[in-house]
Amino acid sequence: MIETDILIIGAGPTGLFAVFEAGLLKLKCHLIDALPQIGGQLSELYPKKPIYDIPGFPEVLAGDLVTNLMEQTKQFQPGFTLNENAETIQKLEDGTFIVTTNKGTKHHANAVAIAGGLGSFEPRKPLIEDIAFYEDKGVEYFVKNPELFRNKKIVIAGGGDSALDWSVFLADVASEVTLIHRRNEFRGALDSVEKVQELKHLGKIKLITPAEVIGLNGAEHLESIDIDENGAHRNIKTDYFIPLFGLTPKLGAIANWGLEIEKNAIKVNNALDYQTNIDGIYAIGDVNIYPGKLKLILCGFHEATLMCQSVYQRMNPGKKYVLKYTTVSGVDGFDGTRKEAEKAIVKAID
């Protein structure tokens, strides 16, 4: 059983910033995310794309924002349960909660904050016959452990940043990398497109465009794929097929927790603390809905701050909390570190 003060479901930017705000209140956080890495959409969909509306950052790459948030939260030592979905929730008589994932991992928390962005992300699967049979037998929708592909033949399908970036990365891991896209043009960061172009000329990446994978073959494990290349059919031997066509957001099992849902989002009390219709369960960031809601990262940061204040009062009823600016109070990490402004010097002037 993993014990924590606030269990945050979703390790995107809103969930990560909540760790910092909770830490200022001496509250411990643990995060669950369905993806194999932290950062949510920012890491999975557009890590190299710039964001222009984060206060204090005229321009910041999505991946860099995640890195900065992790640096800001590390002193508060958050725990992570990654590559697992929050499946069931049980409210105990003392008002605390037990949340169990699809893999059986149990978490006990005083409060639950759902910060799942647009929901848990599921890969968009190509419409290929028998693809389900080959899942975990040669078909992978995420690159969880690059070493799995060491000295193997792999085929990647897709035309966005993920397909480009993983093709580049795995070119130094796999024995053979083939990138297939149904168009000649790729929609990704310019440096990624140019790197693939360079590796193609060096013979480290095979590029097949325009083409589509139309069939999978193999008795127990994937052995080859069938492709349609401009109307001509070809067969390519491969050990792994990695279709990277983006992710589909879904509320998943959370939709069955008895929460009030509207337009596939969770209704909250925005006049106070972003609490749901169940006392002790909050929803912050893009996953919630209320009058005037804006699905912006900066709004999620604000919601996370008020949520943490509410959880503090819930755990310390009747105890007055005096808000102090971090420039005055400093920041004491759970790891023993302290950040503080330089003290003023008291000295007479002759």
Side-chain angles (χ1 to χ4, degrees), residues 89-92 95-97 110-114 254-261 266-269 273-283 310 314:
I89 189 166
Q90 176 188 5
K91 189 170 187 179
L92 305 181
T96 62
F97 300 88
N110 285 281
V112 175
I114 302 169
I254 292 174
N256 303 318
W257 286 6
L259 301 167
E260 195 172 350
I261 307 294
I266 302 169
K267 287 188 72 172
V268 295
N269 174 6
D273 54 12
Y274 304 97
Q275 199 159 189
T276 68
N277 59 305
I278 299 178
D279 182 48
I281 301 180
Y282 303 77
S310 178
R314 174 185 170 81

Side-chain angles (χ1 to χ4, degrees), residues 234-290:
R234 286 176 56 188
N235 179 269
I236 298 176
K237 292 191 180 299
T238 189
D239 298 303
Y240 288 96
F241 172 48
I242 311 172
L244 298 173
F245 297 141
L247 302 169
T248 301
K250 292 183 180 178
L251 275 179
I254 292 174
N256 303 318
W257 286 6
L259 301 167
E260 195 172 350
I261 307 294
E262 180 182 304
K263 297 180 181 177
N264 203 40
I266 302 169
K267 287 188 72 172
V268 295
N269 174 6
N270 68 304
L272 187 60
D273 54 12
Y274 304 97
Q275 199 159 189
T276 68
N277 59 305
I278 299 178
D279 182 48
I281 301 180
Y282 303 77
I284 54 177
D286 288 358
V287 77
N288 72 16
I289 189 169
Y290 53 82

Side-chain angles (χ1 to χ4, degrees), residues 53-67:
D53 60 356
I54 303 298
F57 288 91
E59 177 182 334
V60 61
L61 295 181
D64 290 344
L65 178 59
V66 172
T67 300

Side-chain angles (χ1 to χ4, degrees), residues 3-236:
E3 299 282 347
T4 191
D5 295 319
I6 305 177
L7 181 65
I8 302 171
I9 300 173
T14 296
L16 292 175
F17 186 68
V19 175
F20 176 78
E21 287 297 321
L24 295 179
L25 300 167
K26 309 301 181 191
L27 301 178
K28 187 80 175 173
C29 292
H30 190 93
L31 298 90
I32 300 175
D33 202 288
L35 293 173
Q37 75 283 322
I38 56 103
Q41 296 179 67
L42 275 65
S43 295
E44 188 62 29
L45 297 183
Y46 50 94
K48 292 190 174 181
K49 295 205 172 151
I51 303 173
Y52 299 103
D53 60 356
I54 303 298
F57 288 91
E59 177 182 334
V60 61
L61 295 181
D64 290 344
L65 178 59
V66 172
T67 300
N68 291 343
L69 286 166
M70 278 300 294
E71 178 66 24
Q72 189 175 27
T73 63
K74 72 177 184 181
Q75 61 195 316
F76 297 122
Q77 302 177 314
F80 293 92
T81 299
L82 299 176
N83 202 31
E84 298 186 30
N85 289 296
E87 195 79 14
T88 63
I89 189 166
Q90 176 188 5
K91 189 170 187 179
L92 305 181
E93 289 186 5
D94 63 357
T96 62
F97 300 88
I98 292 179
V99 174
T100 306
T101 70
N102 60 318
K103 295 185 180 178
T105 309
K106 292 184 179 294
H107 309 75
H108 181 223
N110 285 281
V112 175
I114 302 169
L118 299 173
S120 63
F121 289 102
E122 298 180 8
R124 290 194 177 99
K125 302 180 181 182
L127 298 175
I128 301 174
E129 188 177 354
D130 295 330
I131 192 169
F133 172 79
Y134 291 102
E135 290 172 0
D136 297 322
K137 300 175 187 175
V139 171
E140 301 287 338
Y141 300 108
F142 298 104
V143 181
K144 301 169 188 174
N145 177 16
E147 285 302 310
L148 178 67
F149 310 107
R150 174 71 62 183
N151 299 324
K152 302 292 185 181
K153 293 181 178 181
I154 66 169
V155 172
I156 294 175
D161 284 314
S162 291
L164 292 164
D165 292 344
W166 280 120
S167 294
V168 170
F169 183 89
L170 293 173
D172 291 326
V173 176
S175 62
E176 183 178 290
V177 174
T178 302
L179 177 58
I180 296 175
H181 183 38
R182 65 176 183 263
R183 298 187 182 92
N184 291 319
E185 302 80 18
F186 288 84
R187 186 183 295 272
L190 180 60
D191 63 327
S192 297
V193 176
E194 291 176 344
K195 187 64 176 175
V196 168
Q197 183 80 37
E198 177 188 341
L199 291 172
K200 177 196 170 187
H201 290 320
L202 292 173
K204 299 191 74 173
I205 291 179
K206 294 182 179 179
L207 190 61
I208 304 177
T209 62
E212 285 188 82
V213 178
I214 58 174
L216 306 173
N217 312 294
E220 298 297 327
H221 192 279
L222 184 67
E223 297 174 5
S224 69
I225 62 169
D226 298 321
I227 68 169
D228 180 335
E229 184 183 2
N230 248 349
H233 286 197
R234 286 176 56 188
N235 179 269
I236 298 176

